[in-house]
Amino acid sequence: MNIDQNKGIHAQNQDFSKYDQVKKDQQYQLVEDVDLDSFDEDYVIQTCDMQLFFNGGEAGRKEFAQQLGSALEGIGFAILTGHGIEPEVYENAHAKVQQLFETTTLERRMLYHAERHGSVNQGYFPIKETTIIHPDLVEGWVFCRRAFNLEEETEYSERDYWPEGGYESLFRDIVQRHEKLILPIMQSVLSYLSVDPHLYDDRLTKTNFGLRLNYYPPISKEEDETGAGRMLGHEDVDLFTILPAQDIEGLQVYNRENGKWIRLNAPKGSIILNTGDYMQRITNDRLPSTTHRVSKPADKTIFNKPRISIPMAIYVWEDEILEVLPGLVDPHYEPISAIKFHTNTTSKYYGDDYAVGDT
Ligand SMILES: [Fe+2]
């Protein structure tokens, strides 16, 4: 990657607006600036109980769809409870991420350096190299469907994707648990929009995804003084993202109604759900792809602790067509292949040569 990180410290989102494939009028700094930014202390992000969907019968499913749809239409974020995944599962996963990054040598991590495969840049991203537009204080590792032994391939080699340490089986368990939430979420969104709730069932069965393991190391005084943040302000490119609540503060959500940032601290064991660009595109801007970022902790006494997060981005396969859902009037967008949409958007982060056309 050709890194131009110094530009990133003071960059604004609109500096890169030519890459966006959906309408984004909001203007914000990629990194938190406590002197320029203002914060929304009042906005409460809706909590949606998935037990309504799973055990509430038709009335429960309808109520859940209403809660979830209105939360996503309003701010693009919701907090999911009642999803059936025990908090210990996420505690173990977070501990395993810490082990992965802290016990695998840099030399070994670099053997898995990220490369585009289909739409998604998959593999290891060193610190300050998550994108070319901002020197984020995070290391990441992206695993897509092919990185897991999901018994779909006759030939599978764990070491092609993972260092030794029992990582694949633990994270396979996480993605399989999350896969069970994909159709309930999508069916509820479609139902809220008065679209056939099963329209995406086939497309989202065994679909493409990216599980990103994020390790934000402890912040040194020198790094603090550079002005870099932990993760630049961005919108996810996907349909939606399933993000288990983190232990360490920092996630901020942009409220485009008032231009203020919401500090989101979701309860332990809950899942944060947010919509991405694919969703904004197919819903004709009804459900916005919402801006978010990760700041350094306001409490400097926890600068010495690493921060872990494990977002799972849900995509459709590269050859699917993203088109405005039937019944939504006055379409703002032409149909486009997922690979063209995805890579043209994310070439913002990886360089112009990342973009490809239809395959
Ligand atoms: Fe994100």
Side-chain angles (χ1 to χ4, degrees), residues 77 231-232 234-236 241 243 251 274 290 292-293 311:
F77 270 72
M231 179 77 79
L232 78 170
H234 66 280
E235 301 81 35
D236 294 347
T241 304
L243 171 63
L251 180 60
N274 69 278
T290 297
H292 50 285
R293 67 186 180 194

Side-chain angles (χ1 to χ4, degrees), residues 155-175:
E155 284 183 29
Y156 170 81
S157 172
E158 183 175 330
R159 66 182 178 185
D160 287 348
Y161 308 100
W162 303 86
E164 285 174 21
Y167 300 106
E168 188 275 335
S169 60
L170 186 140
F171 292 108
R172 174 171 15 111
D173 177 55
I174 298 282
V175 301

Side-chain angles (χ1 to χ4, degrees), residues 7 11-20 30 133 348:
K7 183 168 67 178
Q12 308 272 326
N13 69 310
Q14 292 294 345
D15 299 342
F16 307 96
S17 61
K18 69 173 184 176
Y19 297 100
D20 289 325
L30 300 186
I133 68 175
K348 174 196 310 190

Side-chain angles (χ1 to χ4, degrees), residues 306-356:
R307 182 181 191 275
I308 309 293
S309 70
I310 52 170
M312 179 169 164
I314 308 302
Y315 306 117
V316 293
W317 287 110
E318 283 83 3
D319 56 354
E320 295 285 352
I321 301 296
L322 297 168
E323 59 184 321
V324 172
L325 293 166
L328 301 187
V329 295
D330 184 22
H332 305 159
Y333 305 111
E334 294 292 316
I336 186 171
S337 71
I339 191 166
K340 191 172 176 185
F341 180 87
H342 190 128
T343 60
N344 278 267
T345 303
T346 52
S347 59
K348 174 196 310 190
Y349 305 129
Y350 308 132
D352 287 344
D353 60 352
Y354 191 84
V356 294

